[in-house]
Amino acid sequence: MSGDHMITGQDWASYQPASPSTSGLSFAIIKATEGTSYTNPRMNGQAATARAAGLVVGFYHFLLPGNVQAQAEYFVKQAVSVEYDLLVCDWESSTHGSPTCAEKDQFLKAVQKLRGSNHRVLLYCNRDFWTNRDTTSFAADGLWIAEYNGSPGKPSIKAPWVIHQYTSTPVDTNVGNWASRAELRAWARKGAADDDGQEHEAAKPAPAPKPATYRVRAGDTLSGIASKYGTTVSKLAALNGIKDVDRIGVGQVLKLTGSPAAKPSTYKVRSGDTLSGIAAAHGTTVAKLAALNGIKNPDVIRVGQTLKIVK
């Protein structure tokens, strides 16, 4: 397939901004984790940016030697993936050493066992690793090969591949061996060609039940939580009575489903309160509160006074 019939994508890590440019892209593959303790602090924002632009989204794990099963479990838990996102093993050298071919295979098979029913699992490595360190040719559902040879879509390997990372300037950029974003999306959804040669989508497994609540962790954003659980910032804000969507607290328990938080019908004045502050907090006005409670001077309210909020 020539480069004219391929699509372009990028891979992002914490070096990229939380909202990278998506111009001209069909897919984005985002660093999620490394080892068993590192999570990309910009993953939530980057994933939300890619989804908002309609890109096919994937996540990768930077594999370290040892603790392979624990790394696979950490990866699938931390990645903010949704059904049919791509999941990738990044197999290369680091200051911690190089995972063996056996460890690479073990990680890919562990992720397939954990998430393979509704995710394509891929291997990323450079040409040297593929030709000199790989002994099994196992790349799960597809090989993503890195070779900066100046020829997008023409890596110098004989094995079948699905993505070619051809440059890191100014950001890691790839071509995907699909004619269109729609074709990649169909492949990611694990469609299979029947005897009639037509592409048919595989039977969709029953989605995991959506949890009713979520406890906010360090680094979370409301947009990231909304993206992970297939909802919107505005719905979460309404459900939980959140007035400033940029402010959520670690440990705060958010409702993901149910009815919007009911507005209280009364409010007991506390020390330091002002009528304008109470009005703002309850989505009303000073004039309405004053009229509703027979207040002649809105600058004078007393501690312990019970104010009616709605009629």
Side-chain angles (χ1 to χ4, degrees), residues 103-166:
E103 286 176 321
K104 171 266 289 185
D105 288 359
Q106 183 188 348
F107 181 85
L108 289 169
K109 288 172 181 175
V111 175
Q112 283 186 311
K113 189 172 182 180
L114 290 163
R115 293 289 185 271
S117 65
N118 55 5
H119 293 277
R120 292 280 191 183
V121 181
L122 288 76
L123 170 67
Y124 167 93
C125 66
N126 62 34
R127 183 178 176 276
D128 172 65
F129 267 63
W130 184 249
T131 56
N132 297 320
R133 304 200 188 203
D134 177 84
T135 57
T136 60
S137 299
F138 181 65
D141 293 316
L143 174 62
W144 173 10
I145 192 77
E147 185 184 19
Y148 301 167
N149 59 358
S151 299
K154 296 180 181 178
S156 51
I157 59 169
K158 294 178 180 177
W161 56 273
V162 292
I163 300 174
H164 176 203
Q165 184 186 79
Y166 65 88

Side-chain angles (χ1 to χ4, degrees), residues 146 191 217 241 248:
R217 294 179 296 188
I248 52 175

Side-chain angles (χ1 to χ4, degrees), residues 35-53:
T36 56
S37 59
Y38 173 84
T39 300
N40 171 13
R42 294 182 171 173
M43 171 178 58
N44 284 309
Q46 291 170 345
T49 297
R51 294 193 202 288

Side-chain angles (χ1 to χ4, degrees), residues 210-214 222 229 231-243 252-263:
K210 184 186 289 186
T213 61
Y214 176 81
L222 207 60
Y229 291 103
T231 184
T232 65
V233 169
S234 58
K235 284 182 181 176
L236 284 182
L239 267 177
N240 294 279
I242 296 171
K243 294 174 180 63
Q252 182 178 354
V253 176
L254 301 177
K255 289 195 295 183
L256 300 176
T257 59
S259 303
K263 288 184 178 179

